[in-house]
Amino acid sequence: IPRIGAVCTVIAGDEHLSGFIDTRGDFVLQFDQGEGLSPAGGYGDGLFPVTDIRKQLELGECSRGYMDRDGNWVIEPQFCRVGAFHDGLAPVSTSEENVFPPLGYINTRGRYVIPEQYDYASDFSGGCARVAWDGFKGIGLIDMDGDLIYEYP
């Protein structure tokens, strides 16, 4: 996979385009409004989070997944919430709850590594992520296996 530098999410109103652009302003992955696809967050680890709007409207179910730069689904749209991949993991949720849906982490193959159990789950950085549980009564850092490595007092 060729390395992609900084990538930003963009929606270009007048042209009815959306997608992900590089630092030169060139589209890395582009959607036309008629495709029914839209960016769903930040790029990371070679994967782009995308919402399949048609699926969401037609079936009434969550429809966020991850595409590669060629526009192929790598992880089929099945999530209600998605985060960016970092260190090979991304926070996701299949819950339709609007307030504090349970979040867990998947790997780049779409398999759960850490089950949906957190009220808040940050992106991983340097092998750890900040999480909150029990209605934010507990906040700490976990490692990539989901083990608590530090609990804030």
Side-chain angles (χ1 to χ4, degrees):
I1 295 176
R3 177 157 166 67
I4 301 173
V7 175
C8 301
T9 303
V10 66
I11 297 176
D14 290 342
E15 299 176 29
H16 304 287
L17 300 176
S18 65
F20 300 87
I21 59 170
D22 61 20
T23 55
R24 294 184 312 262
D26 297 325
F27 277 97
V28 177
L29 181 60
Q30 176 179 315
F31 308 117
D32 182 271
Q33 185 177 20
E35 292 178 273
L37 301 172
S38 178
Y43 164 84
D45 290 355
L47 296 175
F48 300 87
V50 175
T51 301
D52 184 338
I53 298 167
R54 282 200 178 126
K55 179 180 178 183
Q56 189 168 336
L57 293 174
E58 290 173 8
L59 302 177
E61 58 188 43
C62 296
S63 63
R64 291 181 175 125
Y66 295 87
M67 288 184 157
D68 62 19
R69 78 177 298 167
D70 295 323
N72 300 310
W73 289 109
V74 175
I75 300 171
E76 290 293 323
Q78 59 192 292
F79 303 102
C80 299
R81 304 245 190 312
V82 292
F85 274 95
H86 292 285
D87 294 345
L89 300 177
V92 297
S93 179
T94 56
S95 172
E96 294 183 17
E97 291 180 39
N98 287 327
V99 180
F100 307 128
L103 294 156
Y105 291 89
I106 59 170
N107 62 21
T108 56
R109 290 190 215 136
R111 295 194 178 100
Y112 276 93
V113 175
I114 302 169
E116 294 183 5
Q117 59 187 324
Y118 300 109
D119 299 323
Y120 170 80
S122 75
D123 295 337
F124 269 86
S125 178
C128 64
R130 182 174 290 122
V131 294
W133 61 90
D134 195 22
F136 283 84
K137 292 177 185 166
I139 301 174
L141 298 173
I142 59 170
D143 65 17
M144 295 177 67
D145 294 320
D147 295 325
L148 186 65
I149 57 175
Y150 180 79
E151 186 170 355
Y152 291 97

PDB file of all heavy atoms in Angstrom, residues 121-149:
ATOM      1  N   ALA A 121     -14.291   5.992  24.115  1.00  0.00           N
ATOM      2  CA  ALA A 121     -13.108   5.254  23.676  1.00  0.00           C
ATOM      3  C   ALA A 121     -12.352   6.112  22.667  1.00  0.00           C
ATOM      4  O   ALA A 121     -12.869   6.385  21.587  1.00  0.00           O
ATOM      5  CB  ALA A 121     -13.514   3.920  23.046  1.00  0.00           C
ATOM      6  N   SER A 122     -11.149   6.539  23.028  1.00  0.00           N
ATOM      7  CA  SER A 122     -10.347   7.365  22.126  1.00  0.00           C
ATOM      8  C   SER A 122      -9.632   6.485  21.108  1.00  0.00           C
ATOM      9  O   SER A 122      -9.612   5.259  21.220  1.00  0.00           O
ATOM     10  CB  SER A 122      -9.324   8.182  22.923  1.00  0.00           C
ATOM     11  OG  SER A 122      -8.259   7.349  23.356  1.00  0.00           O
ATOM     12  N   ASP A 123      -9.004   7.137  20.133  1.00  0.00           N
ATOM     13  CA  ASP A 123      -8.130   6.422  19.219  1.00  0.00           C
ATOM     14  C   ASP A 123      -6.919   5.938  20.001  1.00  0.00           C
ATOM     15  O   ASP A 123      -6.520   6.548  20.994  1.00  0.00           O
ATOM     16  CB  ASP A 123      -7.647   7.354  18.099  1.00  0.00           C
ATOM     17  CG  ASP A 123      -8.774   7.834  17.200  1.00  0.00           C
ATOM     18  OD1 ASP A 123      -9.823   7.165  17.131  1.00  0.00           O
ATOM     19  OD2 ASP A 123      -8.587   8.883  16.562  1.00  0.00           O
ATOM     20  N   PHE A 124      -6.305   4.856  19.525  1.00  0.00           N
ATOM     21  CA  PHE A 124      -5.062   4.394  20.125  1.00  0.00           C
ATOM     22  C   PHE A 124      -3.916   5.289  19.674  1.00  0.00           C
ATOM     23  O   PHE A 124      -3.925   5.825  18.562  1.00  0.00           O
ATOM     24  CB  PHE A 124      -4.770   2.943  19.733  1.00  0.00           C
ATOM     25  CG  PHE A 124      -5.334   1.958  20.693  1.00  0.00           C
ATOM     26  CD1 PHE A 124      -6.636   1.510  20.569  1.00  0.00           C
ATOM     27  CD2 PHE A 124      -4.579   1.500  21.755  1.00  0.00           C
ATOM     28  CE1 PHE A 124      -7.174   0.615  21.469  1.00  0.00           C
ATOM     29  CE2 PHE A 124      -5.098   0.601  22.672  1.00  0.00           C
ATOM     30  CZ  PHE A 124      -6.410   0.162  22.525  1.00  0.00           C
ATOM     31  N   SER A 125      -2.950   5.450  20.538  1.00  0.00           N
ATOM     32  CA  SER A 125      -1.737   6.188  20.230  1.00  0.00           C
ATOM     33  C   SER A 125      -0.617   5.622  21.092  1.00  0.00           C
ATOM     34  O   SER A 125      -0.760   5.571  22.316  1.00  0.00           O
ATOM     35  CB  SER A 125      -1.922   7.678  20.521  1.00  0.00           C
ATOM     36  OG  SER A 125      -0.728   8.381  20.260  1.00  0.00           O
ATOM     37  N   GLY A 126       0.436   5.170  20.456  1.00  0.00           N
ATOM     38  CA  GLY A 126       1.542   4.606  21.207  1.00  0.00           C
ATOM     39  C   GLY A 126       1.178   3.363  21.982  1.00  0.00           C
ATOM     40  O   GLY A 126       1.771   3.068  23.013  1.00  0.00           O
ATOM     41  N   GLY A 127       0.179   2.622  21.505  1.00  0.00           N
ATOM     42  CA  GLY A 127      -0.200   1.367  22.139  1.00  0.00           C
ATOM     43  C   GLY A 127      -1.191   1.470  23.275  1.00  0.00           C
ATOM     44  O   GLY A 127      -1.488   0.474  23.933  1.00  0.00           O
ATOM     45  N   CYS A 128      -1.736   2.672  23.534  1.00  0.00           N
ATOM     46  CA  CYS A 128      -2.759   2.784  24.584  1.00  0.00           C
ATOM     47  C   CYS A 128      -3.853   3.752  24.141  1.00  0.00           C
ATOM     48  O   CYS A 128      -3.675   4.544  23.213  1.00  0.00           O
ATOM     49  CB  CYS A 128      -2.158   3.198  25.928  1.00  0.00           C
ATOM     50  SG  CYS A 128      -1.411   4.819  25.954  1.00  0.00           S
ATOM     51  N   ALA A 129      -5.005   3.642  24.794  1.00  0.00           N
ATOM     52  CA  ALA A 129      -6.153   4.503  24.496  1.00  0.00           C
ATOM     53  C   ALA A 129      -6.835   4.885  25.798  1.00  0.00           C
ATOM     54  O   ALA A 129      -6.842   4.115  26.767  1.00  0.00           O
ATOM     55  CB  ALA A 129      -7.143   3.774  23.590  1.00  0.00           C
ATOM     56  N   ARG A 130      -7.426   6.066  25.808  1.00  0.00           N
ATOM     57  CA  ARG A 130      -8.188   6.532  26.968  1.00  0.00           C
ATOM     58  C   ARG A 130      -9.627   6.028  26.829  1.00  0.00           C
ATOM     59  O   ARG A 130     -10.228   6.132  25.764  1.00  0.00           O
ATOM     60  CB  ARG A 130      -8.169   8.055  27.042  1.00  0.00           C
ATOM     61  CG  ARG A 130      -8.915   8.595  28.259  1.00  0.00           C
ATOM     62  CD  ARG A 130      -8.773  10.099  28.406  1.00  0.00           C
ATOM     63  NE  ARG A 130      -7.408  10.419  28.780  1.00  0.00           N
ATOM     64  CZ  ARG A 130      -6.611  11.226  28.077  1.00  0.00           C
ATOM     65  NH1 ARG A 130      -7.036  11.805  26.994  1.00  0.00           N
ATOM     66  NH2 ARG A 130      -5.377  11.453  28.483  1.00  0.00           N
ATOM     67  N   VAL A 131     -10.159   5.480  27.907  1.00  0.00           N
ATOM     68  CA  VAL A 131     -11.527   4.974  27.917  1.00  0.00           C
ATOM     69  C   VAL A 131     -12.240   5.427  29.189  1.00  0.00           C
ATOM     70  O   VAL A 131     -11.605   5.773  30.177  1.00  0.00           O
ATOM     71  CB  VAL A 131     -11.568   3.426  27.827  1.00  0.00           C
ATOM     72  CG1 VAL A 131     -11.037   2.941  26.481  1.00  0.00           C
ATOM     73  CG2 VAL A 131     -10.810   2.781  28.972  1.00  0.00           C
ATOM     74  N   ALA A 132     -13.560   5.417  29.114  1.00  0.00           N
ATOM     75  CA  ALA A 132     -14.388   5.704  30.289  1.00  0.00           C
ATOM     76  C   ALA A 132     -15.468   4.633  30.370  1.00  0.00           C
ATOM     77  O   ALA A 132     -15.918   4.102  29.354  1.00  0.00           O
ATOM     78  CB  ALA A 132     -15.027   7.086  30.173  1.00  0.00           C
ATOM     79  N   TRP A 133     -15.886   4.306  31.597  1.00  0.00           N
ATOM     80  CA  TRP A 133     -16.893   3.267  31.808  1.00  0.00           C
ATOM     81  C   TRP A 133     -17.755   3.641  33.005  1.00  0.00           C
ATOM     82  O   TRP A 133     -17.471   4.606  33.716  1.00  0.00           O
ATOM     83  CB  TRP A 133     -16.220   1.909  32.005  1.00  0.00           C
ATOM     84  CG  TRP A 133     -15.302   1.850  33.201  1.00  0.00           C
ATOM     85  CD1 TRP A 133     -15.629   1.488  34.483  1.00  0.00           C
ATOM     86  CD2 TRP A 133     -13.919   2.211  33.252  1.00  0.00           C
ATOM     87  NE1 TRP A 133     -14.540   1.580  35.314  1.00  0.00           N
ATOM     88  CE2 TRP A 133     -13.468   2.032  34.576  1.00  0.00           C
ATOM     89  CE3 TRP A 133     -13.010   2.672  32.303  1.00  0.00           C
ATOM     90  CZ2 TRP A 133     -12.174   2.283  34.975  1.00  0.00           C
ATOM     91  CZ3 TRP A 133     -11.708   2.923  32.702  1.00  0.00           C
ATOM     92  CH2 TRP A 133     -11.304   2.727  34.019  1.00  0.00           C
ATOM     93  N   ASP A 134     -18.820   2.886  33.180  1.00  0.00           N
ATOM     94  CA  ASP A 134     -19.715   3.066  34.327  1.00  0.00           C
ATOM     95  C   ASP A 134     -20.205   4.506  34.432  1.00  0.00           C
ATOM     96  O   ASP A 134     -20.080   5.138  35.482  1.00  0.00           O
ATOM     97  CB  ASP A 134     -19.019   2.618  35.614  1.00  0.00           C
ATOM     98  CG  ASP A 134     -19.998   2.441  36.780  1.00  0.00           C
ATOM     99  OD1 ASP A 134     -21.203   2.250  36.517  1.00  0.00           O
ATOM    100  OD2 ASP A 134     -19.545   2.507  37.938  1.00  0.00           O
ATOM    101  N   GLY A 135     -20.743   5.009  33.309  1.00  0.00           N
ATOM    102  CA  GLY A 135     -21.271   6.369  33.313  1.00  0.00           C
ATOM    103  C   GLY A 135     -20.209   7.413  33.588  1.00  0.00           C
ATOM    104  O   GLY A 135     -20.479   8.443  34.211  1.00  0.00           O
ATOM    105  N   PHE A 136     -19.017   7.186  33.123  1.00  0.00           N
ATOM    106  CA  PHE A 136     -17.867   8.069  33.301  1.00  0.00           C
ATOM    107  C   PHE A 136     -17.380   8.121  34.745  1.00  0.00           C
ATOM    108  O   PHE A 136     -16.614   8.996  35.115  1.00  0.00           O
ATOM    109  CB  PHE A 136     -18.142   9.489  32.778  1.00  0.00           C
ATOM    110  CG  PHE A 136     -18.071   9.588  31.280  1.00  0.00           C
ATOM    111  CD1 PHE A 136     -19.171   9.266  30.495  1.00  0.00           C
ATOM    112  CD2 PHE A 136     -16.906   9.984  30.657  1.00  0.00           C
ATOM    113  CE1 PHE A 136     -19.110   9.345  29.120  1.00  0.00           C
ATOM    114  CE2 PHE A 136     -16.827  10.063  29.276  1.00  0.00           C
ATOM    115  CZ  PHE A 136     -17.936   9.753  28.504  1.00  0.00           C
ATOM    116  N   LYS A 137     -17.806   7.172  35.555  1.00  0.00           N
ATOM    117  CA  LYS A 137     -17.288   7.102  36.933  1.00  0.00           C
ATOM    118  C   LYS A 137     -15.871   6.551  36.938  1.00  0.00           C
ATOM    119  O   LYS A 137     -15.103   6.806  37.858  1.00  0.00           O
ATOM    120  CB  LYS A 137     -18.203   6.251  37.808  1.00  0.00           C
ATOM    121  CG  LYS A 137     -19.552   6.896  38.036  1.00  0.00           C
ATOM    122  CD  LYS A 137     -20.461   5.996  38.851  1.00  0.00           C
ATOM    123  CE  LYS A 137     -21.843   6.619  38.955  1.00  0.00           C
ATOM    124  NZ  LYS A 137     -22.830   5.673  39.431  1.00  0.00           N
ATOM    125  N   GLY A 138     -15.543   5.774  35.923  1.00  0.00           N
ATOM    126  CA  GLY A 138     -14.193   5.248  35.773  1.00  0.00           C
ATOM    127  C   GLY A 138     -13.577   5.758  34.489  1.00  0.00           C
ATOM    128  O   GLY A 138     -14.218   5.740  33.440  1.00  0.00           O
ATOM    129  N   ILE A 139     -12.347   6.244  34.572  1.00  0.00           N
ATOM    130  CA  ILE A 139     -11.611   6.723  33.400  1.00  0.00           C
ATOM    131  C   ILE A 139     -10.186   6.219  33.526  1.00  0.00           C
ATOM    132  O   ILE A 139      -9.589   6.276  34.603  1.00  0.00           O
ATOM    133  CB  ILE A 139     -11.619   8.264  33.315  1.00  0.00           C
ATOM    134  CG1 ILE A 139     -13.057   8.779  33.229  1.00  0.00           C
ATOM    135  CG2 ILE A 139     -10.798   8.736  32.107  1.00  0.00           C
ATOM    136  CD1 ILE A 139     -13.173  10.287  33.291  1.00  0.00           C
ATOM    137  N   GLY A 140      -9.653   5.708  32.418  1.00  0.00           N
ATOM    138  CA  GLY A 140      -8.297   5.196  32.478  1.00  0.00           C
ATOM    139  C   GLY A 140      -7.716   4.951  31.110  1.00  0.00           C
ATOM    140  O   GLY A 140      -8.284   5.356  30.089  1.00  0.00           O
ATOM    141  N   LEU A 141      -6.589   4.272  31.099  1.00  0.00           N
ATOM    142  CA  LEU A 141      -5.898   3.909  29.873  1.00  0.00           C
ATOM    143  C   LEU A 141      -5.865   2.395  29.754  1.00  0.00           C
ATOM    144  O   LEU A 141      -5.640   1.698  30.744  1.00  0.00           O
ATOM    145  CB  LEU A 141      -4.458   4.434  29.888  1.00  0.00           C
ATOM    146  CG  LEU A 141      -4.289   5.942  29.966  1.00  0.00           C
ATOM    147  CD1 LEU A 141      -2.812   6.285  30.134  1.00  0.00           C
ATOM    148  CD2 LEU A 141      -4.858   6.622  28.742  1.00  0.00           C
ATOM    149  N   ILE A 142      -6.107   1.903  28.527  1.00  0.00           N
ATOM    150  CA  ILE A 142      -6.022   0.473  28.260  1.00  0.00           C
ATOM    151  C   ILE A 142      -4.921   0.212  27.252  1.00  0.00           C
ATOM    152  O   ILE A 142      -4.545   1.099  26.473  1.00  0.00           O
ATOM    153  CB  ILE A 142      -7.361  -0.106  27.737  1.00  0.00           C
ATOM    154  CG1 ILE A 142      -7.796   0.594  26.444  1.00  0.00           C
ATOM    155  CG2 ILE A 142      -8.431  -0.038  28.807  1.00  0.00           C
ATOM    156  CD1 ILE A 142      -8.966  -0.065  25.735  1.00  0.00           C
ATOM    157  N   ASP A 143      -4.406  -1.017  27.257  1.00  0.00           N
ATOM    158  CA  ASP A 143      -3.448  -1.411  26.234  1.00  0.00           C
ATOM    159  C   ASP A 143      -4.212  -2.037  25.069  1.00  0.00           C
ATOM    160  O   ASP A 143      -5.445  -2.106  25.084  1.00  0.00           O
ATOM    161  CB  ASP A 143      -2.370  -2.329  26.806  1.00  0.00           C
ATOM    162  CG  ASP A 143      -2.898  -3.675  27.284  1.00  0.00           C
ATOM    163  OD1 ASP A 143      -4.030  -4.087  26.919  1.00  0.00           O
ATOM    164  OD2 ASP A 143      -2.170  -4.339  28.042  1.00  0.00           O
ATOM    165  N   MET A 144      -3.495  -2.513  24.079  1.00  0.00           N
ATOM    166  CA  MET A 144      -4.136  -3.024  22.866  1.00  0.00           C
ATOM    167  C   MET A 144      -4.830  -4.366  23.048  1.00  0.00           C
ATOM    168  O   MET A 144      -5.513  -4.831  22.142  1.00  0.00           O
ATOM    169  CB  MET A 144      -3.119  -3.062  21.731  1.00  0.00           C
ATOM    170  CG  MET A 144      -2.658  -1.644  21.374  1.00  0.00           C
ATOM    171  SD  MET A 144      -1.402  -1.562  20.118  1.00  0.00           S
ATOM    172  CE  MET A 144      -2.309  -2.138  18.705  1.00  0.00           C
ATOM    173  N   ASP A 145      -4.691  -4.963  24.215  1.00  0.00           N
ATOM    174  CA  ASP A 145      -5.439  -6.171  24.547  1.00  0.00           C
ATOM    175  C   ASP A 145      -6.686  -5.847  25.358  1.00  0.00           C
ATOM    176  O   ASP A 145      -7.451  -6.743  25.717  1.00  0.00           O
ATOM    177  CB  ASP A 145      -4.560  -7.140  25.344  1.00  0.00           C
ATOM    178  CG  ASP A 145      -3.412  -7.681  24.508  1.00  0.00           C
ATOM    179  OD1 ASP A 145      -3.628  -7.982  23.322  1.00  0.00           O
ATOM    180  OD2 ASP A 145      -2.293  -7.784  25.050  1.00  0.00           O
ATOM    181  N   GLY A 146      -6.870  -4.571  25.706  1.00  0.00           N
ATOM    182  CA  GLY A 146      -8.019  -4.165  26.503  1.00  0.00           C
ATOM    183  C   GLY A 146      -7.767  -4.222  27.996  1.00  0.00           C
ATOM    184  O   GLY A 146      -8.686  -4.017  28.790  1.00  0.00           O
ATOM    185  N   ASP A 147      -6.535  -4.493  28.381  1.00  0.00           N
ATOM    186  CA  ASP A 147      -6.204  -4.535  29.803  1.00  0.00           C
ATOM    187  C   ASP A 147      -6.015  -3.115  30.328  1.00  0.00           C
ATOM    188  O   ASP A 147      -5.329  -2.302  29.689  1.00  0.00           O
ATOM    189  CB  ASP A 147      -4.934  -5.341  30.040  1.00  0.00           C
ATOM    190  CG  ASP A 147      -5.113  -6.810  29.671  1.00  0.00           C
ATOM    191  OD1 ASP A 147      -6.224  -7.351  29.873  1.00  0.00           O
ATOM    192  OD2 ASP A 147      -4.141  -7.414  29.160  1.00  0.00           O
ATOM    193  N   LEU A 148      -6.596  -2.835  31.488  1.00  0.00           N
ATOM    194  CA  LEU A 148      -6.455  -1.541  32.123  1.00  0.00           C
ATOM    195  C   LEU A 148      -5.022  -1.379  32.617  1.00  0.00           C
ATOM    196  O   LEU A 148      -4.543  -2.197  33.405  1.00  0.00           O
ATOM    197  CB  LEU A 148      -7.445  -1.403  33.291  1.00  0.00           C
ATOM    198  CG  LEU A 148      -7.512  -0.052  33.967  1.00  0.00           C
ATOM    199  CD1 LEU A 148      -8.040   1.017  33.021  1.00  0.00           C
ATOM    200  CD2 LEU A 148      -8.403  -0.133  35.211  1.00  0.00           C
ATOM    201  N   ILE A 149      -4.325  -0.351  32.128  1.00  0.00           N
ATOM    202  CA  ILE A 149      -2.945  -0.134  32.547  1.00  0.00           C
ATOM    203  C   ILE A 149      -2.813   1.063  33.479  1.00  0.00           C
ATOM    204  O   ILE A 149      -1.808   1.222  34.167  1.00  0.00           O
ATOM    205  CB  ILE A 149      -1.983   0.010  31.347  1.00  0.00           C
ATOM    206  CG1 ILE A 149      -2.414   1.142  30.419  1.00  0.00           C
ATOM    207  CG2 ILE A 149      -1.898  -1.309  30.601  1.00  0.00           C
ATOM    208  CD1 ILE A 149      -1.443   1.416  29.290  1.00  0.00           C
TER     209      ILE A 149
END
